[in-house]
Amino acid sequence: MPPAQRPAYALPDDPSLSDAGAVAAELGVDPQRGLTAEEARGRLAAVGPNALRESSGTPFWRRVLAQLSDPLIVLLLAAVAISVAAWAIDGAQGLPVEAIVIAAIIVANAALGLAQEAQAENAVAALATMTRARSTVLRDAMRLTIVSDELVPGDVLLLAEGDQVGADARLVEAHVLRVAEAALTGESAPVSKHAERLDRIVPLGDRDDMVFRGTAVTRGTGRAIVTATGMRTEMGAIAALLDTTVVERTPLQRELGRLGSLLGRVVVGIAVVVMATLAAVSRPQTPTEWVAILLLGVSLAVAAVPEGLPAILSVVLALGVRRMARRNAVVKRLSSVETLGSASAICTDKTGTLTQNRMAIAVVATATGEVRLDDDSTLEALDPATRSLLATGALASDAQLRGTGSSLEATGDPTDAAFVLAARSAGEADSDEDTRIGEVPFSSERKMMSVALRGSSGRMRIAAKGAPDALLDRCSRLQRGDGTVPLGAAERSAVLDDAERLSAQAYRTIGVARRDAPELGGRGAALSEQDERDLVYLGTVGIVDPPRPEARRAVAQAVGAGIRVIMITGDHPGTASRIADDLGIGRPGERAVTGAELEGLSAADLVETVRRASVFARVSPEDKLRIVNALQSEGDVVAMTGDGVNDAPALRAADIGVAMGRTGTEVTKEAADMILADDDFATIVAAVREGRVIFSNIRKFLRYLLFSNVGEVLTVFLGVVLAGVLGISAADPGGTAAPLLATQILWLNLVTDSAPALAMGVDPEVDDVMLRPPRGRNEGAVDRSMWLGIATIGLTIAVATLATIDLFLPGGLIPGGEDDLATARTAGYTTLVFAALLTAFTARSATASAFRGLFANRWLWAATTLGVALQIAVVELPFLQPAFGTASLDLMHWVVCAAMASAVLWVDEVRKLIVRVVSRRGAAAARLVPRSTT
């Protein structure tokens, strides 16, 4: 950096060898206040975003070549070159119109392919902006959550369990801090961190007073000063070595690639037969005649293979992802959209997902009785024991109060916020000016947390809160009135009974405890789990967290769609069972299976338990992983929700990992396939519906493309084979006896394959996708019934097209024809175009009538109208007629073409009616079969 642009701070060479205070001074920041907003903006402008360098991407010329590198396109270009050469050999009379038109169509196809690729890439790139990591920092002495890209040197990072470290930073404080650094150093176990200066240079994995970008906090809390961002970080040094990015195709893209290859081989074989038949019938004598046959065969192969499928699929998936994001479901990978449509089990947390996560303390149970906190008058008249409990719970919380009076609110964890607000409402201010000097953070394994506090008078004490059963194990006495009594078996049983009773009333139960801890005075800020002993149990609070009003409807919708809904929560079994009953999860009155019960089960017994149970409580992250594996062993496609750092393994193991956007940790969001911006279960069900709609639309445009392409192939194949019967050979004895020309085939491919297919990718539901069972894990996009429909409609298109040609030509099966071959071929070609466009409407459903929701898709109507207009232009505009070998048609011809094309509509309506009747009879027969009683 030139001296004139050098910032007012210095970046330390190796901050691990400097005191935290010295690093702060070098970077010009107060660790207790952070940077000012103005200073942060200035530094961001000076050093740039905290982002790793991205690969430069594929050059435009390579993209163009990729569009032209398909073997069939190369062969067609070679045929065009041969055509020009033959034209030159034959005397170069006029212009090589056919070659020019084919080359123009190839260029147009390439341009369309480039546009589709660009649209897909832009939509996929937008996913990255939706799922950007965030960091918590201290600026202007206020805690803020910002996009990690905005971190600058000198920012004070506030680290907590589950956070993704956004930049390299020197630790100032560390409380039981452990960081997973496998992504950077390969170290499999989390590393313990501290704030003490190192005395010598050590390898990266041993710099315990530093945290690094891309690593994850697995336990504890900390405060650190950012020392490097972007490519200056250790992760940036690794990224600098990598300059390419491999984009992996989704499973569906791979399947369609295989389908395209199969169709290519079949169609090339048919094209060879067509060319051989034409050569045998027409007996070409000149190079031009041979080239015409070659062009026709190659054009047929190019047009029949839907080479644009991968690009169209990417666009449809990306548009679907955008629609999901508008409904608060942010999907990180396109492949997850495919999997969503197959989900057969949703394992969901309770708090905040099925419930509103708007927590308030409604009842307090102490050894002297139970108090319900109904209104402010009750809060003001609380007994000293209840006041002490609320104050202690607030001290063991991280929530912060904002505002005053009626606008007072608490930010932070909802449970912490409930304690802080209740304590303030009860008049329990922090009169002793307690300062937190240490903590043992909450973890899902311990189910509790504790803090060490020093009062202004020097008094040392510990405040703790957590699950009543977990907290009781750390207690030796019980608060009763103004004094304490030993915590014997009877007292312990009474506390657990209180928790059970409150849980049965759907309250979330939290215990609170404390003790004086004078021994901490000589140890500074140190606090460990060993200090969580001999606590005094103050009582249990019941926190109300009502179910979301839309959750019951969403659960019913999921069940109706054949999806199991399973509640997995760390809460009390009684609370879990009550909420599950209210929402219709599982059997009425079903007892929750606890983590303790799961612990001793064999793999087979676990599978059996998971098969029958729908409510699990007091489970650990390891239990979640075992439940996912058990469901998958039964063939289920599992969606699993999570928010804590230890949920990440289960989310990775699930087919669809779902992280909470509001309460989820950055580590969980990184591991997930989808992020719920509103933490709402109904959003998961809506995303499953959207996933099913997207897959349904993919099958629609596949059905459409194969309908029309198979129709083209059969038209040319049968037209060449039956040229003598249809009168084509007699109408053009010296020419190529084919029903269509090469330019017509390629133009048809350009007009009908792109716009209508894309329009079908955004088609609204025709059939209610949530009334179907989940799609099988191995069910392909094209099944046997679809192939039967494709064969039926493809044959119908071919018969309608060839019948139209025969109708207007003399000497065929249908008497009365008087037109020349150009007019009859134009009429047949127009029938084929109209029929192909009509199949877009029949392809919208495999069973429902094309007339259901006929006008629901305005994009499809626009694409169809454009196709009709272009066909009219090709037929009627004089300057286009030589290029495409067309002749003007009168009104009678146009009416006949439209009528003949409509045959595909009526044939498919009859086919669908038969399918519906057979399906209804099968369903009725299934209902009449008596159920087995064994």
Side-chain angles (χ1 to χ4, degrees), residues 58-97:
T58 307
F60 179 75
W61 65 271
R62 284 187 179 273
R63 291 172 180 267
V64 174
L65 284 182
Q67 292 293 324
L68 303 175
S69 62
D70 183 272
L72 292 176
I73 296 293
V74 172
L75 185 58
L76 186 58
L77 287 170
V80 168
I82 294 171
S83 174
V84 173
W87 165 78
I89 292 172
D90 286 347
Q93 297 297 317
L95 291 174
V97 175

Side-chain angles (χ1 to χ4, degrees), residues 570-847:
D571 216 336
H572 192 281
T575 306
S577 295
R578 176 65 182 272
I579 295 292
D581 255 0
D582 289 346
L583 296 177
I585 297 175
R587 302 180 304 277
E590 179 178 334
R591 186 184 69 84
V593 177
T594 65
E597 295 174 77
L598 294 176
E599 191 173 342
L601 294 180
S602 65
D605 290 339
L606 177 65
V607 168
E608 180 59 33
T609 300
V610 171
R611 187 182 294 145
R612 62 175 173 78
S614 298
V615 185
F616 297 86
R618 285 287 191 257
V619 295
S620 67
E622 291 77 13
D623 294 328
K624 284 188 173 185
L625 182 58
R626 293 181 67 204
I627 291 170
V628 168
N629 292 335
L631 286 166
Q632 289 174 330
S633 72
E634 291 287 284
D636 278 308
V637 176
V638 183
M640 166 68 79
T641 70
D643 53 9
V645 60
N646 291 323
D647 290 333
L651 264 61
R652 285 197 181 96
D655 298 281
I656 310 151
V658 183
M660 302 297 106
R662 292 179 178 175
T663 60
T665 61
E666 290 299 322
V667 171
T668 311
K669 293 175 186 176
E670 181 67 25
D673 303 296
M674 183 172 79
I675 300 172
L676 298 185
D678 57 1
D679 293 7
D680 190 349
F681 176 80
T683 302
I684 303 176
V685 178
V688 170
R689 173 186 284 276
E690 190 64 49
R692 290 189 177 190
V693 168
I694 290 170
F695 187 80
S696 175
N697 286 350
I698 290 170
R699 297 194 74 175
K700 289 177 187 180
F701 76 66
L702 275 174
R703 195 181 294 122
Y704 162 69
L705 289 173
L706 294 175
F707 278 176
S708 57
N709 288 9
V710 169
E712 294 171 31
V713 172
L714 290 177
T715 296
V716 175
F717 177 71
L718 294 177
V720 168
V721 172
L722 302 175
V725 176
L726 299 173
I728 298 175
S729 297
D732 189 16
T736 304
L740 299 174
L741 301 177
T743 52
Q744 292 174 347
I745 294 172
L746 292 172
W747 178 254
L748 173 66
N749 179 58
L750 182 65
V751 170
T752 62
D753 269 17
S754 298
L758 282 173
M760 298 192 74
V762 294
D763 197 47
E765 288 182 64
V766 177
D767 311 301
D768 189 343
V769 294
M770 297 302 276
L771 295 180
R772 309 172 190 164
R775 180 168 56 92
R777 185 184 287 272
N778 298 317
E779 182 180 337
V782 183
D783 55 20
R784 182 179 299 178
S785 63
M786 187 186 289
W787 279 120
L788 181 60
I790 290 165
T792 302
I793 300 305
L795 185 59
T796 302
I797 291 173
V799 169
T801 302
L802 296 175
T804 303
I805 295 174
D806 190 17
L807 177 65
F808 293 116
L809 269 182
L813 293 174
I814 305 174
E818 298 177 352
D819 291 326
D820 58 17
L821 181 58
T823 302
R825 183 182 275 156
T826 301
Y829 175 44
T830 301
T831 299
L832 178 57
V833 172
F834 286 179
L837 293 173
L838 276 175
T839 59
F841 295 95
T842 65
R844 293 181 64 228
S845 172
T847 57

